[in-house]
Amino acid sequence: MSGVNLRQVWPLPDGVSVADVRGALEALEERHESMRTRYRLDLGDDLAQLVWAPEPVALDVQEGGPDATAFARQASNELGDELFDLAVDKPWRARLITSAGRPACLVVSVHHITADGWSMLQLGTEFGDLLAGKDLGNPAPTCRELAEEQHSAAWADRRQAAVDYWRRVVAEAPEPPDELAAAARTRWATLRSVGSLRDALRLAEQVRVPLPSVVFAAYAAALSERTGLDAHLVGLFAGNRLESKWRSLVTSMNQLAPMVARRVDGEDLLAAARRMHWEGLRSLRHGIFDVDEVAAAVREYGKNGVGGGFRYFYNFRDMAQAAIPAVTGGDSAESDWRVETSVSERNNQSPFYLRAHAGEELMLSLQETSSVEDYEPMRRFVTAMAEQLRDAARVAEAG
């Protein structure tokens, strides 16, 4: 049994029927092997994946009343808390929420072994396309095909280069400060702001680097403010599906790329973003690797290739997929910085993890796993990032 589930609420367009929703879900399951894979967990240290044939979807339908969206959010929490038996169950569930009998929202819960954040966006996009009658084009690739390519002889030099890079970066990385108490549970502080998105987009346009690099520079600056140190080893989330032929693969196979984020005296945020953009690209080039080979290479430093021994993590979600809107006019203001906090009793083994996302606003979600009870340092951290973006944008506009 396992309860590491990703949950989402997908709004439904007017006029769709229960049969339309069920048909789209069945098409998704047929298209993506991971949605119909079971796992043998009784083989000692080994794991067997069994890809089943597509099956009819049993769709739970529930009336949500006049505010079906609010009802769906609550249903999402309930559905996401239900455990999966990975040897028997499909690794996903769905519940259709209606309003006055008409389909309004679809609640989905997917086990994290099946999909990650990238894949959830992919599934949501494809689901909407199927409801709209669009052709999804070529068949989706499989995990086997990806593994065969990345373990092939043609990739040998690239795999070795990744191992060498990991060993060099980790060996030279500074040790993190002993600032967090023993891990106990995971807490979040999330800042959302239209103004911060506007600021970051202005800076990205001026320095001619992607939005994630600007936000990463703000993250590094806030880290230095928090710890008083000039350098931190950060695990960058590196998609191993960035090449176009793999982007429609639904799985949970993101890897890390190590990078030392440094503060340079006299460097403003724009210069830092430009420098860290190229340093980050160099790191992400080595973000596809054999986990066992990297683990052997960095074990003596107390690290592994899946984040063990790392304290700081940065992930700009969905950048290759999301359409970032043009946001113009006005200034960022503290009144636009909405910070919310939450807690989970689950320890997800990521001590200090910043996840960013840009849609209609910029979301900066700091996830800290520790036994500390005070949320104020977390609020201060995401606010410091927003301040970095605001102040740099004002200076850039004045200049």
Side-chain angles (χ1 to χ4, degrees):
M1 294 284 187
S2 181
V4 187
N5 304 331
L6 304 181
R7 57 200 78 179
Q8 288 190 355
V9 175
W10 295 340
L12 299 175
D14 292 338
V16 302
S17 66
V18 175
D20 293 333
V21 173
R22 183 180 290 111
L25 290 173
E26 290 177 346
L28 284 180
E29 183 180 275
E30 181 175 5
R31 176 173 170 80
H32 298 291
E33 285 190 355
S34 61
M35 296 184 67
R36 43 191 170 88
T37 298
R38 273 73 164 182
Y39 299 85
R40 286 283 305 277
L41 307 174
D42 57 351
L43 303 175
D45 293 334
D46 294 325
L47 173 70
Q49 302 181 52
L50 308 176
V51 181
W52 288 30
E55 300 173 304
V57 168
L59 186 60
D60 180 23
V61 180
Q62 193 170 7
E63 173 61 34
D67 192 350
T69 300
F71 187 90
R73 293 194 189 102
Q74 180 60 38
S76 175
N77 293 331
E78 297 171 359
L79 192 66
D81 288 340
E82 294 181 11
L83 301 180
F84 289 95
D85 184 341
L86 294 176
V88 178
D89 297 336
K90 290 183 181 181
W92 66 277
R93 298 187 180 101
R95 181 178 299 171
L96 177 60
I97 307 301
T98 60
S99 179
R102 294 187 297 272
C105 301
L106 186 72
V107 176
V108 292
S109 173
V110 183
H111 194 282
H112 208 337
I113 201 171
T114 295
D116 52 21
W118 173 289
S119 292
M120 292 298 288
L121 184 61
Q122 180 71 27
L123 287 173
T125 300
E126 291 185 357
F127 176 74
D129 288 346
L130 288 166
L131 288 180
K134 296 181 181 179
D135 184 356
L136 299 184
N138 294 329
T142 68
C143 294
R144 293 188 309 280
E145 293 166 344
L146 178 67
E148 287 170 0
E149 176 176 293
Q150 295 182 357
H151 285 85
S152 67
W155 272 61
D157 289 345
R158 188 169 177 177
R159 291 196 303 272
Q160 185 59 50
V163 172
D164 294 342
Y165 176 83
W166 266 81
R167 184 186 293 111
R168 182 174 68 256
V169 171
V170 171
E172 297 173 354
E175 285 297 316
D178 187 19
E179 60 163 339
L180 298 180
R185 60 181 184 171
T186 298
R187 297 170 300 132
W188 288 267
T190 300
L191 182 146
R192 292 180 172 85
S193 170
V194 174
S196 293
L197 176 60
R198 182 185 303 114
D199 293 337
L201 287 171
R202 284 174 176 168
L203 295 170
E205 181 178 5
Q206 178 156 343
V207 79
R208 296 185 178 180
V209 300
L211 184 64
S213 297
V214 172
V215 177
F216 183 47
Y219 171 69
L223 267 185
S224 291
E225 178 182 308
R226 176 186 172 101
T227 67
L229 301 178
D230 292 335
H232 303 83
L233 177 64
V234 178
L236 304 179
F237 276 70
N240 56 4
R241 289 159 280 160
L242 294 179
E243 297 180 32
S244 58
K245 65 179 177 179
W246 302 119
R247 288 184 183 174
S248 61
L249 175 61
V250 169
T251 182
S252 186
M253 293 172 58
N254 276 342
Q255 294 182 290
L256 290 177
M259 175 179 165
V260 176
R262 303 184 187 278
R263 185 180 71 85
V264 176
D265 287 339
E267 191 177 61
D268 62 15
L269 191 71
L270 283 175
R274 184 184 297 110
R275 172 180 56 82
M276 296 176 72
H277 168 68
W278 293 109
E279 293 175 356
L281 284 181
R282 189 178 306 117
S283 176
L284 291 171
R285 285 185 59 195
H286 302 292
I288 300 175
F289 51 86
D290 186 297
V291 174
D292 294 328
E293 291 177 355
V294 164
V298 300
R299 185 175 294 119
E300 63 181 293
Y301 306 105
K303 308 288 192 295
N304 62 34
V306 294
F310 283 69
R311 171 160 294 168
Y312 306 110
F313 299 86
Y314 175 78
N315 181 14
F316 199 107
R317 290 184 55 209
D318 315 327
M319 188 59 199
Q321 299 161 303
I324 308 300
V327 182
T328 59
D331 286 323
S332 178
E334 289 82 346
S335 61
D336 179 47
W337 300 344
R338 306 184 312 281
V339 180
E340 301 172 349
T341 58
S342 58
V343 65
S344 169
E345 296 303 322
R346 182 172 67 87
N347 177 0
N348 72 347
Q349 307 300 320
S350 298
F352 202 84
Y353 169 24
L354 192 285
R355 185 179 65 184
H357 173 70
E360 295 181 353
E361 58 190 0
L362 183 65
M363 181 193 79
L364 304 173
S365 185
L366 177 63
Q367 181 176 296
E368 181 180 302
T369 301
S370 74
S371 59
V372 177
E373 297 292 337
D374 186 7
Y375 281 94
E376 187 54 35
M378 299 178 68
R379 293 190 186 96
R380 173 58 199 156
F381 188 90
V382 293
T383 301
M385 290 185 63
E387 289 172 349
Q388 289 283 340
L389 296 170
R390 178 202 62 194
D391 294 347
R394 287 179 176 176
V395 170
E397 181 134 349

XYZ file of all heavy atoms in Angstrom, residues 14-61:
374
model
N -18.660 23.125 -20.980
C -20.107 22.944 -21.037
C -20.463 21.922 -22.128
O -19.825 21.868 -23.184
C -20.801 24.272 -21.350
C -20.664 25.271 -20.209
O -20.431 24.839 -19.063
O -20.762 26.488 -20.480
N -21.474 21.147 -21.844
C -22.019 20.251 -22.855
C -21.440 18.857 -22.890
O -21.913 18.021 -23.674
N -20.410 18.573 -22.075
C -19.848 17.223 -22.093
C -20.742 16.296 -21.267
O -21.403 16.720 -20.318
C -18.405 17.184 -21.559
C -17.507 18.089 -22.363
C -18.355 17.528 -20.089
N -20.746 15.035 -21.649
C -21.561 14.035 -20.962
C -20.680 13.124 -20.122
O -19.447 13.131 -20.247
C -22.335 13.204 -21.983
O -21.433 12.431 -22.762
N -21.316 12.325 -19.296
C -20.573 11.329 -18.521
C -19.854 10.374 -19.469
O -18.691 9.988 -19.241
C -21.528 10.557 -17.583
C -20.786 9.425 -16.871
C -22.166 11.504 -16.575
N -20.512 10.006 -20.549
C -19.887 9.102 -21.520
C -18.671 9.753 -22.169
O -17.664 9.075 -22.432
C -20.913 8.706 -22.579
N -18.723 11.064 -22.433
C -17.572 11.766 -23.004
C -16.370 11.694 -22.059
O -15.238 11.436 -22.487
C -17.912 13.240 -23.261
C -18.946 13.432 -24.350
O -19.036 12.558 -25.241
O -19.665 14.443 -24.301
N -16.626 11.941 -20.778
C -15.547 11.923 -19.790
C -14.963 10.524 -19.674
O -13.741 10.335 -19.671
C -16.060 12.415 -18.420
C -14.994 12.241 -17.346
C -16.496 13.873 -18.516
N -15.839 9.540 -19.597
C -15.357 8.156 -19.486
C -14.559 7.772 -20.732
O -13.506 7.139 -20.636
C -16.532 7.204 -19.285
C -16.091 5.743 -19.098
C -17.271 4.818 -18.900
N -17.909 5.022 -17.606
C -19.103 5.545 -17.419
N -19.821 5.973 -18.483
N -19.610 5.687 -16.214
N -15.030 8.155 -21.892
C -14.313 7.824 -23.120
C -12.936 8.464 -23.179
O -11.964 7.842 -23.630
N -12.820 9.729 -22.729
C -11.517 10.397 -22.723
C -10.561 9.722 -21.761
O -9.365 9.552 -22.065
C -11.695 11.875 -22.364
N -11.058 9.311 -20.604
C -10.202 8.624 -19.637
C -9.737 7.270 -20.167
O -8.574 6.870 -19.984
C -10.950 8.448 -18.316
C -11.193 9.727 -17.510
C -12.090 9.430 -16.311
C -9.873 10.347 -17.046
N -10.640 6.556 -20.832
C -10.253 5.265 -21.400
C -9.213 5.441 -22.499
O -8.285 4.636 -22.639
C -11.490 4.537 -21.917
C -12.396 4.048 -20.785
C -13.663 3.386 -21.279
O -13.984 3.534 -22.490
O -14.354 2.744 -20.464
N -9.327 6.528 -23.278
C -8.331 6.805 -24.316
C -6.972 7.124 -23.698
O -5.922 6.703 -24.207
C -8.804 7.957 -25.196
N -6.971 7.867 -22.590
C -5.712 8.169 -21.898
C -5.065 6.899 -21.371
O -3.849 6.712 -21.477
C -5.955 9.146 -20.750
C -6.193 10.611 -21.093
C -6.407 11.417 -19.811
C -5.031 11.197 -21.882
N -5.873 6.034 -20.771
C -5.312 4.799 -20.227
C -4.737 3.922 -21.327
O -3.677 3.316 -21.160
C -6.370 4.028 -19.443
C -5.811 2.771 -18.793
C -6.853 2.000 -18.025
O -7.078 2.342 -16.849
O -7.439 1.063 -18.613
N -5.420 3.848 -22.456
C -4.898 3.052 -23.562
C -3.616 3.673 -24.121
O -2.680 2.963 -24.504
C -5.943 2.938 -24.661
C -5.490 2.093 -25.844
C -6.581 1.891 -26.864
O -7.673 2.484 -26.707
O -6.360 1.138 -27.834
N -3.531 4.991 -24.125
C -2.392 5.686 -24.714
C -1.129 5.569 -23.850
O -0.024 5.448 -24.378
C -2.764 7.162 -24.902
C -1.651 8.060 -25.415
C -2.225 9.441 -25.708
N -1.199 10.444 -25.977
C -0.567 10.586 -27.146
N -0.860 9.783 -28.149
N 0.339 11.527 -27.321
N -1.295 5.578 -22.527
C -0.143 5.635 -21.619
C -0.026 4.354 -20.793
O -0.869 4.085 -19.937
C -0.263 6.849 -20.701
C -0.253 8.153 -21.436
N 0.866 8.641 -22.077
C -1.246 9.068 -21.650
C 0.583 9.803 -22.640
N -0.687 10.079 -22.411
N 1.029 3.597 -21.047
C 1.221 2.332 -20.340
C 1.295 2.507 -18.829
O 0.853 1.640 -18.070
C 2.495 1.640 -20.831
C 2.374 0.998 -22.195
C 3.583 0.134 -22.523
O 4.554 0.115 -21.722
O 3.565 -0.534 -23.573
N 1.867 3.616 -18.369
C 2.038 3.804 -16.927
C 0.702 3.835 -16.199
O 0.626 3.492 -15.011
C 2.808 5.093 -16.640
O 2.114 6.223 -17.136
N -0.384 4.203 -16.900
C -1.686 4.275 -16.264
C -2.337 2.903 -16.098
O -3.395 2.788 -15.470
C -2.602 5.198 -17.060
C -2.137 6.648 -17.089
S -3.290 7.745 -17.944
C -4.711 7.707 -16.854
N -1.732 1.885 -16.667
C -2.261 0.523 -16.506
C -1.151 -0.452 -16.111
O -1.182 -1.626 -16.472
C -2.974 0.077 -17.778
C -2.260 0.415 -19.073
C -3.153 0.169 -20.294
N -2.565 0.700 -21.514
C -1.741 0.041 -22.303
N -1.411 -1.219 -22.003
N -1.247 0.581 -23.396
N -0.197 0.050 -15.355
C 0.912 -0.783 -14.888
C 0.710 -1.130 -13.420
O 0.393 -0.260 -12.596
C 2.259 -0.054 -15.064
O 2.469 0.189 -16.460
C 3.414 -0.878 -14.521
N 0.872 -2.407 -13.105
C 0.893 -2.873 -11.719
C 2.327 -3.258 -11.372
O 3.174 -3.421 -12.244
C -0.017 -4.090 -11.526
C -1.482 -3.741 -11.224
C -2.215 -3.217 -12.402
N -3.666 -3.248 -12.221
C -4.542 -2.879 -13.136
N -4.134 -2.411 -14.292
N -5.838 -2.955 -12.891
N 2.584 -3.429 -10.058
C 3.949 -3.641 -9.592
C 4.012 -4.826 -8.643
O 3.253 -4.919 -7.681
C 4.473 -2.385 -8.893
C 4.499 -1.184 -9.807
C 3.346 -0.398 -9.981
C 5.620 -0.841 -10.524
C 3.346 0.693 -10.844
C 5.636 0.249 -11.389
C 4.487 1.003 -11.537
O 4.486 2.075 -12.388
N 4.936 -5.735 -8.939
C 5.224 -6.848 -8.034
C 6.233 -6.372 -7.004
O 7.360 -6.005 -7.328
C 5.801 -8.023 -8.818
C 4.809 -8.792 -9.665
C 3.952 -9.734 -8.817
N 4.761 -10.632 -8.020
C 5.288 -11.783 -8.460
N 5.098 -12.141 -9.729
N 5.998 -12.548 -7.680
N 5.818 -6.368 -5.751
C 6.659 -5.848 -4.675
C 7.170 -6.952 -3.760
O 7.756 -6.659 -2.716
C 5.862 -4.836 -3.842
C 5.193 -3.700 -4.624
C 4.324 -2.857 -3.697
C 6.233 -2.836 -5.307
N 6.965 -8.208 -4.155
C 7.314 -9.330 -3.281
C 8.536 -10.079 -3.788
O 8.682 -11.280 -3.558
C 6.127 -10.291 -3.170
C 5.661 -10.803 -4.533
O 6.145 -10.276 -5.563
O 4.815 -11.726 -4.564
N 9.437 -9.359 -4.462
C 10.594 -10.012 -5.081
C 11.903 -9.603 -4.404
O 12.951 -9.543 -5.029
C 10.652 -9.657 -6.574
C 9.401 -10.020 -7.383
C 9.540 -9.513 -8.814
C 9.180 -11.523 -7.375
N 11.851 -9.321 -3.133
C 13.055 -8.909 -2.426
C 13.493 -7.523 -2.860
O 12.725 -6.560 -2.787
N 14.739 -7.412 -3.335
C 15.258 -6.120 -3.777
C 14.845 -5.774 -5.195
O 15.133 -4.677 -5.676
C 16.795 -6.108 -3.690
C 17.283 -6.165 -2.255
O 16.530 -5.735 -1.360
O 18.407 -6.641 -2.035
N 14.187 -6.685 -5.883
C 13.782 -6.454 -7.268
C 12.337 -5.949 -7.325
O 11.561 -6.108 -6.384
C 13.910 -7.742 -8.091
C 15.354 -8.169 -8.237
O 16.216 -7.276 -8.336
O 15.627 -9.382 -8.231
N 12.007 -5.373 -8.466
C 10.656 -4.874 -8.704
C 10.254 -5.261 -10.113
O 11.015 -5.039 -11.060
C 10.617 -3.353 -8.548
C 9.308 -2.641 -8.922
C 8.220 -2.956 -7.905
C 9.518 -1.135 -9.015
N 9.076 -5.854 -10.266
C 8.580 -6.215 -11.592
C 7.413 -5.311 -11.950
O 6.510 -5.074 -11.139
C 8.133 -7.676 -11.614
N 7.447 -4.766 -13.169
C 6.361 -3.945 -13.681
C 5.557 -4.763 -14.681
O 6.107 -5.314 -15.628
C 6.921 -2.690 -14.362
C 7.779 -1.841 -13.447
C 8.288 -0.600 -14.143
O 7.521 0.152 -14.719
N 9.589 -0.375 -14.080
N 4.258 -4.817 -14.458
C 3.365 -5.603 -15.305
C 2.398 -4.660 -16.007
O 1.570 -4.006 -15.349
C 2.594 -6.620 -14.464
C 3.442 -7.514 -13.545
C 2.549 -8.404 -12.700
C 4.426 -8.339 -14.360
N 2.515 -4.546 -17.316
C 1.650 -3.665 -18.091
C 0.400 -4.437 -18.487
O 0.464 -5.389 -19.267
C 2.373 -3.123 -19.339
C 1.449 -2.195 -20.118
C 3.656 -2.391 -18.937
N -0.733 -4.030 -17.964
C -1.993 -4.702 -18.236
C -2.637 -4.121 -19.492
O -2.309 -3.017 -19.936
C -2.956 -4.529 -17.057
C -2.576 -5.329 -15.834
C -1.318 -5.687 -15.443
C -3.462 -5.842 -14.848
N -1.363 -6.386 -14.279
C -2.660 -6.504 -13.885
C -4.832 -5.821 -14.683
C -3.218 -7.133 -12.769
C -5.388 -6.436 -13.565
C -4.587 -7.093 -12.626
N -3.558 -4.863 -20.039
C -4.338 -4.368 -21.177
C -5.309 -3.288 -20.698
O -5.685 -3.257 -19.523
C -5.113 -5.526 -21.814
N -5.731 -2.388 -21.584
C -6.715 -1.371 -21.188
C -8.003 -2.015 -20.687
O -8.418 -3.071 -21.164
C -6.955 -0.581 -22.476
C -5.741 -0.827 -23.314
C -5.294 -2.222 -22.980
N -8.635 -1.375 -19.721
C -9.866 -1.879 -19.124
C -10.921 -0.781 -19.128
O -10.583 0.409 -19.162
C -9.612 -2.312 -17.673
C -8.568 -3.402 -17.512
C -8.264 -3.638 -16.039
O -7.885 -2.668 -15.354
O -8.416 -4.779 -15.578
N -12.186 -1.136 -19.066
C -13.231 -0.110 -18.933
C -13.016 0.709 -17.661
O -12.572 0.193 -16.635
C -14.526 -0.925 -18.859
C -14.181 -2.225 -19.515
C -12.744 -2.496 -19.185
N -13.311 1.985 -17.722
C -13.129 2.876 -16.583
C -14.394 2.879 -15.743
O -15.495 3.132 -16.250
C -12.802 4.303 -17.062
C -12.897 5.301 -15.915
C -11.407 4.339 -17.679
N -14.231 2.584 -14.463
C -15.330 2.701 -13.505
C -15.297 4.109 -12.939
O -14.415 4.452 -12.137
C -15.179 1.664 -12.395
N -16.219 4.944 -13.370
C -16.206 6.364 -13.016
C -17.221 6.641 -11.920
O -18.423 6.449 -12.103
C -16.518 7.211 -14.254
C -16.420 8.726 -14.108
C -15.016 9.133 -13.696
C -16.822 9.401 -15.412
N -16.726 7.087 -10.786
C -17.585 7.479 -9.675
C -18.158 8.862 -9.961
O -17.415 9.789 -10.286
C -16.750 7.490 -8.381
C -17.566 7.893 -7.169
O -18.790 7.745 -7.211
O -16.956 8.360 -6.184
N -19.472 9.003 -9.872
C -20.137 10.286 -10.138
C -20.763 10.775 -8.842
O -21.456 10.032 -8.148
C -21.217 10.139 -11.229
C -21.885 11.491 -11.488
C -20.600 9.592 -12.517
